[in-house]
Amino acid sequence: MSLNLFGSPSAHPSTVENERLEQMGALEPIAARARRRAVRAGDTEIDTGHLLHALLESDERALGLVTQLPTQATRLMGYLAQRSIGFGRDWRPGEGANAIRPRLSAPLAPPGWSRSAAAALERAALAALIRDRGEPDVLDLLAELVSDSECRAAAMLLGAGVELQGTVARVRAAAGRAAEQDEDGAGEDGADETGRA
């Protein structure tokens, strides 16, 4: 099932990017940060590695959920930092259809989303809907990135010694707890002095 947040794969990125970001709700800052990382690096696509880096920078819970040991955290952030400054960006083939294109010194247009990145964002939105939440949050997206063992983000995690299956379970459990806390808080806010909503 697709929520079609990203339109047609053939749509020109510059004509749909703002609409796509607006539809992401709470994930909009993550997506925007990932896009800026791709632009600065001269990458032709925003991939799951960009999303992972943006996510870990934006939410303090995320790194603790994916790395159980300090050495894992150090190694993972080292991978991401190296990629940001241009070392090792091509250590693995890209994720989407644009991966076969030669790398340009500077992008001619804003980069589009890789298929894996777009799918992860759409699955995160679907997971939130299944839980009766209006919008996905960072933990929904993190769970989807880790659960796709073929994507670049998962490969980076594996390279840092992160065990994917256990991490997915931890992140999904944390996302469920966060949703319950949000619901409890909303119930308390909606009650009057007698405790009635």
Side-chain angles (χ1 to χ4, degrees):
M1 177 179 178
S2 173
L3 299 182
N4 297 318
L5 295 181
F6 299 91
S8 168
S10 62
H12 195 281
S14 62
T15 63
V16 298
E17 187 65 27
N18 289 338
E19 180 180 349
R20 288 173 174 176
L21 290 177
E22 289 171 2
Q23 293 176 14
M24 291 179 200
L27 293 181
E28 179 180 344
I30 305 294
R33 188 184 291 243
R35 180 178 179 274
R36 288 193 296 271
R37 286 200 164 280
V39 169
R40 285 198 301 266
D43 292 333
T44 58
E45 288 186 328
I46 310 164
D47 64 29
T48 58
H50 299 118
L51 278 174
L52 179 65
H53 200 168
L55 188 156
L56 293 174
E57 287 180 328
S58 301
D59 193 292
E60 61 185 15
R61 301 168 295 175
L63 187 60
L65 285 168
V66 298
T67 58
Q68 299 291 285
L69 301 171
T71 53
Q72 291 176 329
T74 301
R75 189 170 183 185
L76 175 58
M77 297 311 291
Y79 276 151
L80 296 171
Q82 286 180 350
R83 189 182 192 213
S84 291
I85 61 176
F87 293 108
R89 276 206 315 261
D90 296 317
W91 64 275
R92 174 182 174 165
E95 294 175 335
N98 292 339
I100 61 173
R101 297 178 182 171
R103 182 172 297 282
L104 304 174
S105 59
L108 299 178
W113 295 92
S114 76
R115 292 177 181 174
S116 294
L121 285 160
E122 291 188 356
R123 290 195 309 271
L126 180 59
L129 287 176
I130 291 172
R131 288 202 315 273
D132 293 326
R133 297 188 66 187
E135 296 179 346
D137 69 5
V138 169
L139 296 182
D140 292 314
L141 177 57
L142 180 58
E144 298 309 325
L145 292 175
V146 180
S147 66
D148 180 1
S149 61
E150 300 300 316
C151 77
R152 179 168 283 156
M156 289 177 167
L157 293 171
L158 284 170
V162 174
E163 194 275 310
L164 298 183
Q165 188 172 0
T167 301
V168 172
R170 283 196 306 276
V171 175
R172 291 199 194 283
R177 290 193 298 271
E180 290 174 1
Q181 290 172 358
D182 289 346
E183 291 174 1
D184 291 344
E188 292 171 2
D189 290 342
D192 64 18
E193 293 181 358
T194 64
R196 291 174 299 187

